[in-house]
Amino acid sequence: MSSSATADEQGGSGTVWYRRAASSDGGELAVSLAVSLALSDGRALVTVVGGMEWRCTWPLEQALDHECLAATSETWLDLSGLEFADSSLLHLLLDSQRVHRARDARLVLAGALQPVVERLFTVTGTDAFFVRTPL
């Protein structure tokens, strides 16, 4: 896997950083981590766009493990822009959910999922393991 672009930024919108990973077969995943600075509720938003498979999970893994999330009570994960995902996504999300619960925080799947990603949750029976909310 190679990284086609990697940038850290501190923007007015609260974006802490943005990562893009590209796998050798052309698959790509873009992840941005945005902390809701305007809200006093301690919520963070992680947005994922593209496709995710086992060779390009590291940007999302880094986002969900970012130190600024330790100060939040809730992480909203927007997967609505994710066009493809395999079981590596589920593994990562279940691990992250355990970490969030251990620090008394919530991991929330926000937004509507693309049909192929929704099917992954349905077929594996993991849809009931996550709190879901519209964006």
Side-chain angles (χ1 to χ4, degrees):
M1 173 177 44
S2 65
S3 176
S4 59
T6 301
D8 289 341
E9 53 186 68
Q10 189 75 35
S13 66
T15 299
V16 175
W17 55 260
Y18 176 83
R19 296 277 192 260
R20 181 176 301 278
S23 63
S24 57
D25 66 352
E28 190 173 273
L29 172 70
V31 177
S32 64
L33 172 64
V35 179
S36 304
L37 300 175
L39 301 174
S40 61
D41 60 5
R43 208 180 321 164
L45 174 65
V46 177
T47 304
V48 181
V49 194
M52 173 180 263
E53 42 90 21
W54 67 274
R55 290 174 286 188
C56 60
T57 59
W58 65 269
L60 181 56
E61 188 172 354
Q62 285 183 336
L64 293 173
D65 195 34
H66 199 277
E67 68 268 3
C68 73
L69 291 186
T72 63
S73 60
E74 199 169 86
T75 301
W76 282 30
L77 183 58
D78 177 7
L79 301 177
S80 61
L82 195 59
E83 298 167 359
F84 170 79
D86 64 13
S87 62
S88 60
L89 172 69
L90 295 178
H91 183 313
L92 186 57
L93 294 182
L94 290 169
D95 282 349
S96 182
Q97 183 169 254
R98 279 191 287 278
V99 170
H100 276 75
R101 286 182 178 166
R103 63 178 178 80
D104 201 25
R106 288 186 351 143
L107 179 65
V108 177
L109 300 185
L113 298 176
Q114 298 289 333
V116 69
V117 178
E118 183 73 52
R119 181 156 169 72
L120 176 66
F121 284 91
T122 304
V123 167
T124 60
T126 55
D127 51 345
F129 287 91
F130 299 97
V131 175
R132 306 260 308 256
T133 189
L135 269 177

